[in-house]
């Protein structure tokens, strides 16, 4: 019969490591301009409009203000480690990290080093590992088996909420996500059903865009108010 070689996780990862690494490195370098602009303004003793806008403006959504204030305080207290942790996952608000680090005069190589490690080595390759697992049935089953092994039967929250074990729900969800991605690759994206993770992600995007629009309106109103008072 036809012979085939087994697909090893590490073998696949080695083939895609460098493209993922350079992609992550490019995104890390893209965070330098906001840092430099903010740092130059701080060294010149000038007011940094971007930093003031990001830190002093308050949204009507209190949860956003709390998250923003927490992130700024976290960066000030933890420095290199704080930037590294903020860069090591798909953080849509990372531009604010660069602006804050420049304003607080964090050394350039400390900022770039933490951002580079977080984005090029951890985030990009972590995402690569996830997709290797997602599209390789053997590794997907191993991952689900690992999740099953770390959740004691007596502490299965999904049994009480959904009536099924967590690892079974996770298995079905990952299969659905993988099928949706494959249909997009094959050009059948219009025929995919909306999976729960996709619906949740779409709503998150809608909320972020809505917050951005509201923030812009609030900023215009605040600037206009300052102009009238002056």
């Amino acid at each position: 019969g036809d012979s085939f070689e087994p697909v090893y996780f590490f073998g696949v990862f080695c083939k895609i490591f460098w493209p993922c690494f350079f992609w992550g490195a490019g995104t890390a370098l893209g965070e330098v301009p906001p840092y430099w602009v903010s740092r130059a303004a701080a060294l010149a003793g000038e007011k940094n409009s971007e930093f003031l806008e990001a830190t002093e403006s308050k949204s009507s959504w209190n949860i956003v203000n709390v998250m923003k204030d927490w992130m700024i305080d976290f960066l000030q207290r933890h420095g290199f480690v704080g930037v590294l942790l903020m860069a090591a996952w798909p953080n849509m608000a990372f531009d604010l990290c660069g602006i804050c680090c420049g304003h607080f005069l964090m050394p350039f190589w400390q900022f770039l080093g933490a951002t580079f490690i977080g984005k090029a080595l951890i985030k990009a390759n972590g995402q690569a590992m996830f997709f290797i697992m997602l599209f390789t049935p053997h590794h997907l089953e191993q991952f689900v088996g690992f999740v099953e092994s770390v959740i004691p039967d007596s502490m299965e929250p999904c049994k009480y909420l959904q009536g099924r074990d967590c690892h079974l729900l996770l298995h079905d969800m990952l299969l659905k996500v993988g099928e949706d991605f494959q249909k997009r690759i094959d050009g059948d994206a219009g025929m995919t059903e909306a999976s729960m993770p996709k619906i949740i992600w779409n709503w998150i995007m809608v909320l972020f865009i809505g917050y951005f629009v509201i923030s812009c309106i609030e900023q215009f109103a605040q600037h206009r108010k300052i102009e009238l008072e002056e």
Side-chain angles (χ1 to χ4, degrees):
D2 294 336
S3 61
F4 62 91
E5 295 182 2
V7 178
Y8 295 106
F9 187 94
F10 186 71
V12 177
F13 179 72
C14 287
K15 290 181 181 295
I16 63 174
F17 172 81
W18 287 112
C20 293
F21 172 81
F22 286 119
W23 166 61
T27 61
L29 294 175
E31 303 296 344
V32 172
Y35 166 86
W36 271 120
V37 171
S38 184
R39 179 181 173 85
L43 289 174
E46 300 173 354
K47 287 186 176 181
N48 186 343
S49 59
E50 290 187 353
F51 177 79
L52 294 176
E53 179 179 330
T55 56
E56 296 184 359
S57 63
K58 297 298 179 182
S59 168
S60 56
W61 297 3
N62 189 56
I63 183 65
V64 175
N65 299 325
V66 172
M67 291 172 62
K68 185 166 57 177
D69 293 341
W70 174 85
M71 184 171 70
I72 294 171
D73 178 65
F74 184 81
L75 289 171
Q76 284 185 285
R77 286 189 289 111
H78 298 286
F80 180 92
V81 175
V83 177
L84 174 62
L85 293 176
M86 290 293 177
W89 58 284
N91 184 356
M92 291 179 287
F94 192 80
D95 280 349
L96 176 59
C97 296
I99 292 171
C100 292
C101 291
H103 180 80
F104 298 132
L105 301 179
M106 175 182 283
F108 171 71
W109 290 111
Q110 183 178 345
F111 168 75
L112 182 61
T115 304
F116 190 88
I117 294 171
K119 287 183 174 289
L121 295 178
I122 300 176
K123 181 178 77 75
N125 290 293
Q127 290 173 307
M129 291 179 183
F130 171 78
F131 282 106
I132 294 172
M133 178 273 297
L134 186 66
F135 289 110
T136 312
H138 173 65
H139 299 314
L140 190 150
E141 297 295 338
Q142 285 184 324
F143 176 72
V144 173
F146 170 76
V147 173
E148 180 183 10
S149 68
V150 298
I151 302 179
D153 292 337
S154 59
M155 298 178 60
E156 276 275 4
C158 302
K159 274 189 177 179
Y160 301 101
L161 298 174
Q162 296 287 335
R164 298 180 66 198
D165 291 343
C166 290
H167 69 279
L168 296 177
L169 292 172
L170 177 64
H171 181 267
D172 292 346
M173 183 190 74
L174 291 175
L175 283 178
K176 180 62 178 174
V177 171
E179 289 173 1
D180 287 349
F181 270 110
Q182 190 61 53
K183 287 180 180 178
R184 290 191 178 196
I185 294 171
D186 296 338
D188 297 329
M191 301 175 62
T192 60
E193 280 185 23
S195 62
M196 185 55 65
K198 184 177 179 182
I199 293 172
I200 294 173
W201 180 253
N202 288 341
W203 273 108
I204 291 174
M205 291 296 99
V206 169
L207 291 174
F208 270 103
I209 293 171
Y211 165 68
F212 175 74
V213 172
I214 293 173
S215 297
C216 289
I217 296 173
E218 289 178 347
Q219 288 302 315
F220 285 129
Q222 289 174 5
H223 286 309
R224 181 60 178 166
K225 180 181 178 182
I226 293 173
E227 290 177 358
L228 292 175
E229 289 177 349
E230 292 177 349

